[in-house]
CSV table of all heavy atoms in Angstrom, one decimal:
chain,number,residue,atom,x,y,z
A,1,ILE,N,-13.3,22.6,-1.9
A,1,ILE,CA,-12.1,22.4,-2.7
A,1,ILE,C,-11.8,23.6,-3.6
A,1,ILE,O,-12.7,24.2,-4.1
A,1,ILE,CB,-12.3,21.1,-3.6
A,1,ILE,CG1,-12.4,19.9,-2.8
A,1,ILE,CG2,-11.1,21.0,-4.6
A,1,ILE,CD1,-12.7,18.7,-3.6
A,2,PRO,N,-10.6,24.2,-3.6
A,2,PRO,CA,-10.3,25.3,-4.3
A,2,PRO,C,-10.7,25.3,-5.7
A,2,PRO,O,-10.5,24.3,-6.4
A,2,PRO,CB,-8.8,25.4,-4.1
A,2,PRO,CG,-8.4,24.7,-2.9
A,2,PRO,CD,-9.5,23.6,-2.9
A,3,LYS,N,-11.2,26.3,-6.3
A,3,LYS,CA,-11.6,26.4,-7.7
A,3,LYS,C,-10.4,26.3,-8.6
A,3,LYS,O,-9.4,26.8,-8.3
A,3,LYS,CB,-12.3,27.7,-7.9
A,3,LYS,CG,-13.7,27.8,-7.2
A,3,LYS,CD,-14.4,29.1,-7.6
A,3,LYS,CE,-15.8,29.2,-6.9
A,3,LYS,NZ,-16.5,30.4,-7.2
A,4,GLY,N,-10.6,25.5,-9.6
A,4,GLY,CA,-9.5,25.3,-10.6
A,4,GLY,C,-8.6,24.3,-10.3
A,4,GLY,O,-7.6,24.0,-11.0
A,5,SER,N,-8.7,23.6,-9.1
A,5,SER,CA,-7.9,22.5,-8.7
A,5,SER,C,-8.2,21.3,-9.5
A,5,SER,O,-9.3,21.0,-9.9
A,5,SER,CB,-8.1,22.2,-7.2
A,5,SER,OG,-7.8,23.4,-6.4
A,6,SER,N,-7.1,20.5,-9.7
A,6,SER,CA,-7.2,19.2,-10.5
A,6,SER,C,-7.5,18.1,-9.5
A,6,SER,O,-6.5,17.5,-9.2
A,6,SER,CB,-6.0,19.0,-11.3
A,6,SER,OG,-6.1,17.7,-12.0
A,7,TRP,N,-8.6,17.9,-9.0
A,7,TRP,CA,-9.0,16.8,-8.1
A,7,TRP,C,-9.8,15.8,-8.9
A,7,TRP,O,-10.7,16.1,-9.6
A,7,TRP,CB,-9.8,17.3,-6.9
A,7,TRP,CG,-9.0,18.1,-6.0
A,7,TRP,CD1,-8.1,19.2,-6.2
A,7,TRP,CD2,-9.0,18.0,-4.5
A,7,TRP,NE1,-7.6,19.6,-5.0
A,7,TRP,CE2,-8.1,18.9,-3.9
A,7,TRP,CE3,-9.7,17.1,-3.6
A,7,TRP,CZ2,-7.9,19.1,-2.6
A,7,TRP,CZ3,-9.5,17.2,-2.3
A,7,TRP,CH2,-8.6,18.2,-1.8
A,8,ASN,N,-9.4,14.5,-8.7
A,8,ASN,CA,-10.1,13.4,-9.3
A,8,ASN,C,-10.8,12.6,-8.3
A,8,ASN,O,-10.2,12.1,-7.3
A,8,ASN,CB,-9.0,12.6,-10.0
A,8,ASN,CG,-8.2,13.4,-11.1
A,8,ASN,OD1,-8.6,13.7,-12.1
A,8,ASN,ND2,-7.0,13.8,-10.6
A,9,GLN,N,-12.0,12.4,-8.5
A,9,GLN,CA,-12.9,11.5,-7.6
A,9,GLN,C,-13.2,10.1,-8.0
A,9,GLN,O,-13.4,10.0,-9.3
A,9,GLN,CB,-14.2,12.3,-7.3
A,9,GLN,CG,-14.1,13.7,-6.9
A,9,GLN,CD,-14.0,13.8,-5.3
A,9,GLN,OE1,-14.2,12.9,-4.6
A,9,GLN,NE2,-13.6,15.0,-4.8
A,10,TYR,N,-13.1,9.2,-7.2
A,10,TYR,CA,-13.3,7.8,-7.6
A,10,TYR,C,-14.3,7.1,-6.5
A,10,TYR,O,-14.2,7.4,-5.3
A,10,TYR,CB,-12.0,6.9,-7.6
A,10,TYR,CG,-10.9,7.6,-8.4
A,10,TYR,CD1,-10.0,8.4,-7.8
A,10,TYR,CD2,-10.8,7.3,-9.8
A,10,TYR,CE1,-9.0,9.0,-8.6
A,10,TYR,CE2,-9.8,7.9,-10.5
A,10,TYR,CZ,-9.0,8.8,-10.0
A,10,TYR,OH,-7.9,9.3,-10.7
A,11,LYS,N,-15.3,6.4,-7.1
A,11,LYS,CA,-16.2,5.7,-6.2
A,11,LYS,C,-15.7,4.6,-5.3
A,11,LYS,O,-16.1,4.4,-4.2
A,11,LYS,CB,-17.3,5.1,-7.0
A,11,LYS,CG,-18.2,6.2,-7.8
A,11,LYS,CD,-19.2,5.4,-8.7
A,11,LYS,CE,-19.9,6.5,-9.5
A,11,LYS,NZ,-21.0,5.8,-10.4
A,12,ASN,N,-14.5,4.1,-5.8
A,12,ASN,CA,-13.9,3.0,-5.1
A,12,ASN,C,-12.4,2.8,-5.6
A,12,ASN,O,-12.1,3.4,-6.7
A,12,ASN,CB,-14.7,1.7,-5.1
A,12,ASN,CG,-15.1,1.3,-6.5
A,12,ASN,OD1,-14.3,1.2,-7.4
A,12,ASN,ND2,-16.4,1.1,-6.7
A,13,VAL,N,-11.7,1.9,-5.0
A,13,VAL,CA,-10.4,1.7,-5.4
A,13,VAL,C,-10.2,1.0,-6.8
A,13,VAL,O,-9.3,1.1,-7.6
A,13,VAL,CB,-9.6,0.9,-4.4
A,13,VAL,CG1,-10.0,-0.5,-4.3
A,13,VAL,CG2,-8.1,1.0,-4.6
A,14,TYR,N,-11.3,0.2,-7.2
A,14,TYR,CA,-11.2,-0.5,-8.4
A,14,TYR,C,-11.4,0.6,-9.6
A,14,TYR,O,-10.7,0.4,-10.7
A,14,TYR,CB,-12.5,-1.4,-8.5
A,14,TYR,CG,-12.5,-2.4,-7.3
A,14,TYR,CD1,-13.3,-2.2,-6.3
A,14,TYR,CD2,-11.6,-3.5,-7.3
A,14,TYR,CE1,-13.3,-3.2,-5.2
A,14,TYR,CE2,-11.6,-4.4,-6.3
A,14,TYR,CZ,-12.4,-4.2,-5.2
A,14,TYR,OH,-12.4,-5.1,-4.2
A,15,GLU,N,-12.2,1.6,-9.4
A,15,GLU,CA,-12.3,2.6,-10.4
A,15,GLU,C,-11.0,3.3,-10.5
A,15,GLU,O,-10.6,3.6,-11.7
A,15,GLU,CB,-13.5,3.6,-10.1
A,15,GLU,CG,-13.6,4.6,-11.1
A,15,GLU,CD,-14.8,5.6,-10.7
A,15,GLU,OE1,-15.1,5.7,-9.6
A,15,GLU,OE2,-15.2,6.3,-11.7
A,16,PHE,N,-10.4,3.6,-9.4
A,16,PHE,CA,-9.1,4.3,-9.4
A,16,PHE,C,-8.0,3.5,-10.2
A,16,PHE,O,-7.3,4.0,-11.0
A,16,PHE,CB,-8.6,4.5,-8.0
A,16,PHE,CG,-7.1,4.9,-7.9
A,16,PHE,CD1,-6.7,6.2,-8.2
A,16,PHE,CD2,-6.1,3.9,-7.5
A,16,PHE,CE1,-5.3,6.5,-8.1
A,16,PHE,CE2,-4.8,4.2,-7.4
A,16,PHE,CZ,-4.4,5.6,-7.7
A,17,MET,N,-8.1,2.1,-10.1
A,17,MET,CA,-7.1,1.3,-10.7
A,17,MET,C,-7.3,1.3,-12.2
A,17,MET,O,-6.4,1.3,-13.0
A,17,MET,CB,-7.1,-0.1,-10.1
A,17,MET,CG,-6.5,-0.3,-8.8
A,17,MET,SD,-4.8,0.4,-8.7
A,17,MET,CE,-4.0,-0.7,-10.0
A,18,ARG,N,-8.5,1.4,-12.7
A,18,ARG,CA,-8.9,1.3,-14.1
A,18,ARG,C,-8.2,2.6,-14.7
A,18,ARG,O,-7.7,2.5,-15.8
A,18,ARG,CB,-10.4,1.2,-14.3
A,18,ARG,CG,-10.9,-0.2,-14.0
A,18,ARG,CD,-12.3,-0.3,-14.6
A,18,ARG,NE,-13.3,0.6,-14.0
A,18,ARG,CZ,-14.0,0.4,-12.8
A,18,ARG,NH1,-13.9,-0.9,-12.3
A,18,ARG,NH2,-14.9,1.2,-12.5
A,19,VAL,N,-8.5,3.7,-14.0
A,19,VAL,CA,-8.0,5.0,-14.5
A,19,VAL,C,-6.4,5.0,-14.6
A,19,VAL,O,-5.9,5.4,-15.5
A,19,VAL,CB,-8.6,6.2,-13.7
A,19,VAL,CG1,-7.8,7.5,-14.1
A,19,VAL,CG2,-10.0,6.3,-13.8
A,20,LEU,N,-5.8,4.5,-13.5
A,20,LEU,CA,-4.4,4.5,-13.4
A,20,LEU,C,-3.8,3.5,-14.5
A,20,LEU,O,-2.8,3.9,-15.1
A,20,LEU,CB,-4.0,3.9,-12.0
A,20,LEU,CG,-2.4,3.7,-11.8
A,20,LEU,CD1,-1.7,5.0,-12.0
A,20,LEU,CD2,-2.3,3.0,-10.4
A,21,LYS,N,-4.5,2.4,-14.8
A,21,LYS,CA,-4.0,1.5,-15.8
A,21,LYS,C,-4.0,2.2,-17.2
A,21,LYS,O,-3.1,2.1,-18.0
A,21,LYS,CB,-4.8,0.2,-15.9
A,21,LYS,CG,-4.4,-0.8,-16.8
A,21,LYS,CD,-5.2,-2.0,-16.9
A,21,LYS,CE,-4.7,-3.1,-17.8
A,21,LYS,NZ,-5.6,-4.4,-17.7
A,22,ASP,N,-5.0,3.1,-17.4
A,22,ASP,CA,-5.1,3.7,-18.7
A,22,ASP,C,-4.2,4.9,-18.8
A,22,ASP,O,-3.6,5.1,-19.9
A,22,ASP,CB,-6.5,4.2,-18.9
A,22,ASP,CG,-7.6,3.1,-19.1
A,22,ASP,OD1,-7.2,2.0,-19.5
A,22,ASP,OD2,-8.8,3.3,-18.8
A,23,ALA,N,-4.0,5.6,-17.7
A,23,ALA,CA,-3.1,6.8,-17.7
A,23,ALA,C,-1.6,6.4,-17.7
A,23,ALA,O,-0.8,7.1,-18.2
A,23,ALA,CB,-3.4,7.7,-16.5
A,24,GLY,N,-1.3,5.3,-16.9
A,24,GLY,CA,0.0,5.0,-16.7
A,24,GLY,C,0.9,5.6,-15.7
A,24,GLY,O,1.9,5.2,-15.3
A,25,SER,N,0.4,6.8,-15.2
A,25,SER,CA,1.1,7.6,-14.2
A,25,SER,C,0.1,8.5,-13.5
A,25,SER,O,-1.1,8.7,-14.0
A,25,SER,CB,2.3,8.4,-14.8
A,25,SER,OG,1.7,9.3,-15.7
A,26,LEU,N,0.6,9.1,-12.4
A,26,LEU,CA,-0.3,10.0,-11.7
A,26,LEU,C,0.2,11.4,-11.6
A,26,LEU,O,1.4,11.6,-11.5
A,26,LEU,CB,-0.4,9.4,-10.2
A,26,LEU,CG,-1.2,8.2,-10.0
A,26,LEU,CD1,-1.2,7.8,-8.5
A,26,LEU,CD2,-2.7,8.3,-10.4
A,27,LYS,N,-0.7,12.3,-11.5
A,27,LYS,CA,-0.4,13.7,-11.2
A,27,LYS,C,-1.7,14.2,-10.5
A,27,LYS,O,-2.8,13.8,-10.5
A,27,LYS,CB,-0.2,14.6,-12.5
A,27,LYS,CG,1.0,14.1,-13.4
A,27,LYS,CD,1.0,15.0,-14.6
A,27,LYS,CE,2.3,14.7,-15.4
A,27,LYS,NZ,2.4,15.7,-16.6
A,28,GLY,N,-1.4,15.3,-9.7
A,28,GLY,CA,-2.5,16.0,-9.0
A,28,GLY,C,-3.0,15.2,-7.7
A,28,GLY,O,-2.3,14.4,-7.1
A,29,VAL,N,-4.3,15.3,-7.5
A,29,VAL,CA,-5.0,14.8,-6.2
A,29,VAL,C,-6.0,13.7,-6.7
A,29,VAL,O,-6.8,14.0,-7.6
A,29,VAL,CB,-5.6,15.9,-5.5
A,29,VAL,CG1,-6.2,15.4,-4.2
A,29,VAL,CG2,-4.7,17.0,-5.1
A,30,HIS,N,-6.0,12.6,-6.0
A,30,HIS,CA,-6.9,11.5,-6.3
A,30,HIS,C,-7.6,11.1,-5.0
A,30,HIS,O,-7.0,10.7,-4.0
A,30,HIS,CB,-6.1,10.3,-6.9
A,30,HIS,CG,-5.3,10.7,-8.1
A,30,HIS,ND1,-5.8,10.6,-9.3
A,30,HIS,CD2,-4.2,11.3,-8.3
A,30,HIS,CE1,-4.9,11.0,-10.3
A,30,HIS,NE2,-3.9,11.5,-9.6
A,31,VAL,N,-8.9,11.3,-5.0
A,31,VAL,CA,-9.8,11.0,-3.8
A,31,VAL,C,-10.5,9.7,-4.0
A,31,VAL,O,-11.3,9.6,-5.0
A,31,VAL,CB,-10.7,12.1,-3.6
A,31,VAL,CG1,-11.6,11.8,-2.3
A,31,VAL,CG2,-10.0,13.4,-3.4
A,32,ILE,N,-10.2,8.7,-3.2
A,32,ILE,CA,-10.9,7.4,-3.3
A,32,ILE,C,-11.8,7.2,-2.2
A,32,ILE,O,-11.4,7.3,-1.0
A,32,ILE,CB,-9.8,6.3,-3.3
A,32,ILE,CG1,-8.8,6.4,-4.4
A,32,ILE,CG2,-10.5,4.9,-3.4
A,32,ILE,CD1,-7.6,5.4,-4.4
A,33,SER,N,-13.1,7.0,-2.4
A,33,SER,CA,-14.1,6.9,-1.4
A,33,SER,C,-13.8,5.4,-0.8
A,33,SER,O,-13.6,4.5,-1.4
A,33,SER,CB,-15.5,6.9,-2.0
A,33,SER,OG,-15.8,8.2,-2.5
A,34,CYS,N,-13.8,5.5,0.6
A,34,CYS,CA,-13.6,4.3,1.3
A,34,CYS,C,-14.9,4.2,2.4
A,34,CYS,O,-14.9,5.0,3.3
A,34,CYS,CB,-12.3,4.2,2.1
A,34,CYS,SG,-10.9,4.0,1.0
A,35,ASN,N,-15.7,3.2,2.2
A,35,ASN,CA,-16.9,3.1,3.0
A,35,ASN,C,-16.8,1.9,4.0
A,35,ASN,O,-17.7,1.9,4.9
A,35,ASN,CB,-18.2,3.0,2.1
A,35,ASN,CG,-18.3,4.3,1.2
A,35,ASN,OD1,-18.2,5.4,1.7
A,35,ASN,ND2,-18.5,4.0,-0.1
A,36,THR,N,-15.9,1.0,3.7
A,36,THR,CA,-15.8,-0.1,4.6
A,36,THR,C,-14.4,-0.4,4.9
A,36,THR,O,-13.4,0.1,4.3
A,36,THR,CB,-16.4,-1.4,3.8
A,36,THR,OG1,-15.5,-1.8,2.7
A,36,THR,CG2,-17.8,-1.2,3.3
A,37,ILE,N,-14.2,-1.3,5.9
A,37,ILE,CA,-12.8,-1.7,6.3
A,37,ILE,C,-12.2,-2.3,5.2
A,37,ILE,O,-10.9,-2.2,5.0
A,37,ILE,CB,-12.9,-2.7,7.5
A,37,ILE,CG1,-13.5,-1.9,8.8
A,37,ILE,CG2,-11.6,-3.3,7.8
A,37,ILE,CD1,-13.8,-2.8,9.9
A,38,ASN,N,-12.9,-3.1,4.4
A,38,ASN,CA,-12.2,-3.8,3.2
A,38,ASN,C,-11.6,-2.9,2.2
A,38,ASN,O,-10.7,-3.1,1.6
A,38,ASN,CB,-13.2,-4.8,2.5
A,38,ASN,CG,-13.5,-6.0,3.4
A,38,ASN,OD1,-12.8,-6.3,4.3
A,38,ASN,ND2,-14.7,-6.5,3.2
A,39,ASP,N,-12.4,-1.7,2.1
A,39,ASP,CA,-11.9,-0.7,1.1
A,39,ASP,C,-10.5,-0.1,1.6
A,39,ASP,O,-9.5,0.0,0.7
A,39,ASP,CB,-12.8,0.6,1.1
A,39,ASP,CG,-14.1,0.2,0.4
A,39,ASP,OD1,-14.1,-0.7,-0.4
A,39,ASP,OD2,-15.1,0.9,0.7
A,40,TYR,N,-10.2,0.1,2.8
A,40,TYR,CA,-8.9,0.5,3.3
A,40,TYR,C,-7.9,-0.6,3.2
A,40,TYR,O,-6.8,-0.5,2.8
A,40,TYR,CB,-9.1,0.9,4.8
A,40,TYR,CG,-9.6,2.3,5.0
A,40,TYR,CD1,-10.9,2.5,5.3
A,40,TYR,CD2,-8.7,3.4,4.9
A,40,TYR,CE1,-11.4,3.8,5.5
A,40,TYR,CE2,-9.2,4.6,5.1
A,40,TYR,CZ,-10.5,4.8,5.4
A,40,TYR,OH,-11.0,6.1,5.6
């Protein structure tokens, strides 16, 4: 990943949703780990 990039990593979609709820909006890149069919 390019140095200085604003990439946000999440262990799962639930963690992503908690951050989104607090932030209220999105900017940049958000990487959600998906390890199972249910995650997708």
Side-chain angles (χ1 to χ4, degrees):
I1 295 173
K3 292 182 179 179
S5 299
S6 178
W7 286 50
N8 305 279
Q9 304 273 348
Y10 307 93
K11 296 178 181 178
N12 50 53
V13 70
Y14 304 103
E15 183 180 18
F16 167 76
M17 284 307 302
R18 288 195 296 270
V19 173
L20 175 61
K21 184 177 180 180
D22 292 338
S25 62
L26 288 179
K27 292 182 180 179
V29 182
H30 303 266
V31 182
I32 303 174
S33 294
C34 288
N35 301 310
T36 69
I37 292 173
N38 289 337
D39 290 336
Y40 279 96

